[in-house]
Amino acid sequence: MKKIIMILTACLSLSLTAAEEGLVLPHDKLPKLSGDALTISMQRGLQVYTNNCLGCHGLSFQRYNRTAKDLEISDEAMLENIIFSDAKIGDLMTNTMREKSAANWFGTAPPDLSLIARSRGTDWLYNYMRAFYQDESRPYGMNNSVFKDVGMPHVLETMQGIQTKTDKVKGLENTIEMAKADIAATRKLLEEGSTAEGLSEKIEKAQESIHVAEEELKTLSAAGEYFSLVKEGKLSPEEFNQSMADLVHFLDYVAEPIKRERQRLGIWVLLFILGFGCVAYLLKKEYWKDIH
Ligand code: HEC
């Protein structure tokens, strides 16, 4: 009994910390694709990846020829269009960046992304890639609203351009900051034993205003009004979103190359069980016919 209570308390405190992590925006869902559309999207994603990411992030569990086979690309096309280094078709998709120097340049070494779609989830990745914004307080003038103070530069600037939080968003975030400061100050007064009137009401009111502001931020984000472009890139916002969906579909494939095969097989297995179930039932009926 004691053990069960301990486990339950642990679960509860875990979910509480998750709730306390706060609001992470944008919070969009990765568009779903299947069949040929998914294969084509993954092919485009592979291209975006090798052109923009592989230099820093290796995929150390993935070989070029396996990728070519799974994504229905011929070895020749792979060699001609995807592999720019002197890598061979059977090589692992890694780079030659040395971890120590990388850590010196960026503060943190760029991690291998073989399993990132599983550890972070595809929605998180889709939002992260679209969340770089202008922030003068950062060393390179950029930040990321999904991964705060990230060490990765905004490498897709030529594609996306530069975006900034809209004035409305900045205003709402200001309101939240002020309300939080209010709450902290009032709590301190209470802790010090102040008996002044209306302190707990003040806290409640501030919490309410945080809630309202957060709801408004979510609405703005869902309407695509969280950021606005201050410098245009080569792609329109819709094209850029699509390109990031391609990239994430590719990373999703890399994280579990057998996934599509598994799903395809799974349907046949289920159909077989269903068919065999029917046969077994008819057989049972036939056997018991004379006994009943
Ligand atoms: C110039 C080097 C560089 C390039 C190019 C680059 N990144 Fe990064 N990336 C980094 C660094 C450094 C970090 C670690 C940041 C940190 O932990 O603060 C990082 C972190 C990340 C993370 C977060 C990993 C985590 O800890 O969860 C993801 C996802 C990611 N990069 C994806 C990409 C993708 C996709 C591309 C290609 C469009 C790309 N990166 C291109 C340097 C780079």
Side-chain angles (χ1 to χ4, degrees), residues 18-278:
E20 273 168 15
E21 262 173 23
L23 189 63
V24 175
L25 293 172
H27 198 75
D28 301 327
K29 290 242 168 295
L30 172 71
K32 292 245 175 313
L33 291 176
S34 62
D36 286 347
L38 180 59
T39 311
I40 293 167
S41 172
M42 286 170 171
Q43 290 171 348
R44 283 195 305 249
L46 163 70
Q47 198 152 29
V48 177
Y49 192 89
T50 41
N51 286 343
N52 302 285
C53 321
L54 190 59
C56 286
H57 298 282
L59 298 174
S60 55
F61 298 161
Q62 194 71 26
R63 286 185 195 279
Y64 287 105
N65 51 0
R66 167 76 198 257
T67 312
K69 185 170 163 264
D70 288 344
L71 302 192
E72 299 167 27
I73 303 168
S74 69
D75 283 359
E76 294 73 40
M78 190 78 171
L79 280 166
E80 213 162 284
N81 303 314
I82 302 292
I83 306 179
F84 297 118
S85 59
D86 52 6
K88 304 201 175 50
I89 189 80
D91 284 353
L92 288 168
M93 298 177 69
T94 48
N95 56 40
T96 48
M97 184 182 276
R98 302 218 349 246
E99 225 170 79
K100 234 179 168 176
S101 16
N104 269 341
W105 295 329
F106 308 114
T108 324
D112 188 280
L113 295 185
S114 301
L115 298 174
I116 194 78
R118 279 211 252 174
S119 60
R120 290 290 201 179
T122 47
D123 289 341
W124 185 93
L125 278 176
Y126 180 58
N127 288 313
Y128 167 71
M129 291 314 302
R130 294 150 57 244
F132 286 90
Y133 70 95
Q134 203 171 34
D135 176 359
E136 299 306 339
S137 70
R138 297 291 301 155
Y140 296 107
M142 296 301 290
N143 206 334
N144 188 297
S145 63
V146 171
F147 189 149
K148 195 167 173 305
D149 298 345
V150 71
M152 172 167 146
H154 179 33
V155 294
L156 300 180
E157 184 182 324
T158 36
M159 276 165 83
Q160 185 188 23
I162 294 180
Q163 57 185 5
T164 183
K165 286 182 175 169
T166 57
D167 286 341
K168 253 192 192 161
V169 167
K170 284 184 198 158
L172 288 166
E173 286 185 343
N174 227 355
T175 311
I176 293 176
E177 284 308 309
M178 274 168 21
K180 279 187 180 162
D182 250 6
I183 293 176
T186 320
R187 286 222 169 110
K188 200 158 169 243
L189 281 180
L190 279 174
E191 270 167 29
E192 285 165 1
S194 164
T195 49
E197 251 179 51
L199 287 184
S200 38
E201 286 79 36
K202 203 171 166 196
I203 292 183
E204 259 169 41
K205 236 174 148 185
Q207 279 169 339
E208 176 63 24
S209 72
I210 290 177
H211 178 72
V212 171
E214 285 188 343
E215 287 306 310
E216 232 168 296
L217 280 175
K218 277 190 213 163
T219 315
L220 285 174
S221 166
E225 288 166 22
Y226 192 75
F227 295 122
S228 64
L229 278 179
V230 284
K231 186 181 147 208
E232 279 186 19
K234 274 193 203 149
L235 302 185
S236 70
E238 293 74 29
E239 287 168 335
F240 183 71
N241 283 348
Q242 193 194 343
S243 190
M244 292 307 98
D246 293 341
L247 183 62
V248 177
H249 283 136
F250 169 68
L251 284 172
D252 191 30
Y253 151 73
V254 170
E256 202 187 345
I258 199 74
K259 185 164 159 187
R260 293 179 86 192
E261 180 71 7
R262 179 163 59 70
Q263 286 171 344
R264 196 183 59 78
L265 262 179
I267 293 174
W268 288 109
V269 171
L270 288 179
L271 283 177
F272 171 77
I273 291 174
L274 203 72
F276 186 75
C278 287

